[in-house]
Every structure is written in C-alpha cells, then in structure tokens.
Amino acid sequence: MPEDLGACHSHSYPDADGYFGQFGGNYYPDEVRPALEDLDRAYQELRHSPDFRHALHKARIGLQGRPTPVHYLENISRQVGGAHIFVKREDLNHTGAHKINHCVGFALLAKKMGKTKLIAETGAGQHGVALASAAAYFGLECEVHMGQVDVAKQSSNVGRMQLLGARVVPATAGQSALKDASDFAFNAYVKQHAHALYAIGSAIGPHPFPMIVRDFQAVVGREAREQFLSITHGSLPEHVVACVAGGSNAMGMYSGFIDDANVALHAVEPLGKSNQLGQHAATLSYGRPGTLHGTRSVVLQEDDGTPASVTSVASGLVYPGIGPEIAMLHENGRLSVARISDEEAIGTFFRMAKFEGILPALESAHALAFAIQLASQCPSSERILVNLSGRGDKDVDYVLKNHGTV
C-alpha cells in the first residue's frame, strides 16, 4: 500500500506558524514567502492525494529499491559484548544513502506543482546525487551547489551528478563547505523560485521544509519499526541512534519510535578535532539559540553572533546549525546527545569494513562508533538500532589517502 505520511508526533508539530516549541518559523525574505506558502498549501493537499501517494510508492520501490533491511552486526556485537547492535541499511538505497527518500518526494512535488527545475545544496554529495537521480527520473532540470572543498574531496560524487544531468556549481565563499553551499543555493532559489523548487538537503530551513523532509524521511522509521518487531517477535529496541547535522536521517529514524517512552533516542554529533570552537560541528553540545538559513534553531556562533567555522572528517556533518525539530527534542529532554571525534569515526570505518564487510559513510560511522561504546556499557538483554544512513564508497579515496589501510 502507498505510504501514509502522517504519524502521532507529526500531528502535533510543527504548529500552524511552523514552530517546534521555540524553534522553527520562517525567516526568509518577504519576496520568497509567497512561494513557501504555495509550497505548504500544495504539500498539504498532495500528501493525502491517492495519485501522489501511488506515484511516490512506485518510485520508492522501482527507483530506490525499498524497503531496505534491518541487519544484525553479529561479529562486532560479539566482540564488544553487552547490548546487541542492529543497523537500518539505508546505505543500500539507490545512490547510496537516505537522501533519496526526500529527493524523490521533492521531485514529485515539483512535478505536480508545475515546476521545471530543482535547486539544492550538498555537502558530501549524497544529497546532490540523489536529487540528480530523482530529477532525471521525473524529467526535471537540476542545479546543485557544493562547497569548493567538497568538490575536490568528493570528486566521484561530482562526476555522478554530472552524468545524471545536473549542473554542479562550486561555492567559493567562506569555508567553501556545506553552510556556504546552502547560502549559494538559497540565493539561486530567490532568483528562480517562479519556476524552480528548492529541494533542501536536510530537516532545516524555514517552514515548511523541516516538516516536509521529516515526513518524506519517515519511511525509514516506519520500516525499521515493523522490521525490528518482526525480528524480535514483538519487542522494540531499547536505544535508537543516528548521526546529526541538519537532521534528515535522524528525524527519519526517530519518527518510528518517538512516541515510545521506553525507547531512548540518541543524537551523535561530530566532535571533529577537539571541543574548541572552530574545531568541531557539535551544535547541540556547544551552540545557542539563533537564526540560520531562514529558521530559528540552535547555532554554533562566534561572540558577535555570526555562524562559527566548523569542521568534521565527514563532509555531510560540516554544518553550524541543527534542524529545529531536533533542537526542540533536545530541549525537551527526549533526545540525548553524544560526541564522536574524527579519529573515532575513522577507526569505526575500518572496523566495520574488516569485521562486517560494510563500508559505512563517515557520517554514519559517527553513529556506529557511539553505538559500539554504548553497547559495551549495556546489558546483553538490550538492543541498539542504528541508522546506517549511507555507504562509504564516496569516502574511500579520502580515507586511503589520509589514513592508509589499517
């Protein structure tokens, strides 16, 4: 059956003004607000349309290859002792990550709204590749903005986007990374919103983007819940883990368990090189309320309020903000936060390759590294479910060049 985009939690948030508690809202310029209001109206109408849901379901199966499985990490769980570790294999999606879940949704929205083009930003390139694939599938133009640093680091993904017909635009300002690519994409959307749709890359930005991304990513949590209950004959995991930057993969996974008080939700942030400002991207841990890319959330900031420089070995986590819904869940105490360093993530990348035959994306390796630490502290009666949000093919050249093969 075509998927139902609703859930108990999502019936309550965001409110009518696009807020998740004190976070969220719409802080885009007035000239773009009518376009966002049109998007909100179109989404609210189309999400319940049988035709839209059927087309989305068809793309989920045929283009994406859903459902993705839940898999038990038997070897690492045995090594660690303690809790058993399971992973939701979003790395097995077509194009290699969870990003295609909302890219397919945005492409279909654009098609139904009469738009002819998709505009987006990308960090590690997974969102860009996914969007280029979805645009090709639905017959749309595609323009992807990517930081110059990431263009060089993720050259294979740049080539994939171009082969799929996308125009890749390097962002050369600031750190030339994800935040700057977002700035460039936003400016492009302001100029082209009459015929283009901004397919934002995570659960960030002004209303209705965080809501739409969460809803399209909720397929991850729904599948994971059903699969886990089947595997365990009716039991839920005690812990659900995801890496966070913007929060698309995290909100997708959390959505299946957010109303279960006995399931602990864990957000894993990139500690980078150290806890000094500018050496990490651990927004929930060290940020404070502020406005970034059209929404009020938690932001890593300098003393004068400007967004701080951030770093991580994982390009997709190099962002000085967090999605507003993630910020609310943390403020409300529903979400615990952990931090994983570059070194720990790289070590887990090698460990997963050697003992499980899986190359995880460096973003996902953060979540896996924390899950391994958590498992060692928990009894063997407990289970941990991790969103393995992407595969590490994109990271192999970088890892081999900078860290060898051990």
Side-chain angles (χ1 to χ4, degrees), residues 229-372:
L229 287 170
S230 177
I231 290 169
T232 61
H233 306 290
S235 298
L236 291 173
E238 284 73 24
H239 305 273
V240 169
V241 179
C243 64
V244 294
S248 57
N249 95 90
M251 283 312 307
M253 178 60 97
Y254 297 157
S255 66
F257 305 92
I258 200 166
D259 295 312
D260 299 297
N262 292 330
V263 177
L265 305 180
H266 303 273
V268 185
E269 297 195 300
L271 187 58
K273 300 173 183 177
S274 76
N275 63 1
Q276 298 299 309
L277 190 65
Q279 297 297 305
H280 61 80
T283 302
L284 290 174
S285 299
Y286 303 110
R288 64 182 189 270
T291 302
L292 179 65
H293 292 138
T295 193
R296 179 171 174 78
S297 188
V298 176
V299 182
L300 286 168
Q301 303 173 54
E302 301 288 352
D303 292 340
D304 63 1
T306 59
S309 296
V310 288
T311 186
S312 170
V313 72
S315 296
L317 301 181
V318 183
Y319 188 67
I322 199 82
E325 191 165 11
I326 296 280
M328 180 195 72
L329 292 174
H330 178 240
E331 182 180 65
N332 292 349
R334 182 64 184 94
L335 191 65
S336 67
V337 179
R339 294 166 295 280
I340 290 294
S341 69
D342 286 352
E343 183 178 358
E344 290 169 319
I346 292 291
T348 300
F349 180 94
F350 284 120
R351 188 171 187 174
M352 285 288 292
K354 183 174 181 180
F355 296 109
E356 294 291 349
I358 296 172
L359 294 172
L362 288 175
E363 293 79 9
S364 309
H366 285 73
L368 290 161
F370 170 71
I372 290 170

Side-chain angles (χ1 to χ4, degrees), residues 60 113 127 130 142 178 217 237 254 258 263 277 287 305 345 363 384:
R60 291 272 193 249
M113 293 176 67
H127 178 243
C142 186
L178 179 57
Q217 286 293 341
Y254 297 157
I258 200 166
V263 177
L277 190 65
E363 293 79 9
I384 301 169

Side-chain angles (χ1 to χ4, degrees), residues 131-216:
L131 193 69
S133 182
Y137 181 83
F138 286 106
L140 300 166
E141 294 180 64
C142 186
E143 177 179 315
V144 179
H145 295 260
M146 188 174 189
Q148 184 63 59
V149 170
D150 295 326
V151 168
K153 183 179 177 182
Q154 306 288 354
S155 59
S156 63
N157 272 344
V158 174
R160 293 168 73 195
M161 284 183 266
Q162 292 170 334
L163 284 170
L164 290 163
R167 175 175 172 245
V168 180
V169 182
T172 56
Q175 288 187 268
S176 299
L178 179 57
K179 186 264 180 187
D180 312 293
S182 298
D183 293 340
F184 274 54
F186 161 67
N187 290 332
Y189 174 62
V190 169
K191 297 175 182 177
Q192 303 178 61
H193 64 269
H195 67 277
L197 179 62
Y198 188 7
I200 203 162
S202 196
I204 58 175
H207 181 69
F209 288 121
M211 173 185 67
I212 294 175
V213 172
R214 175 200 65 194
D215 289 352
F216 285 142

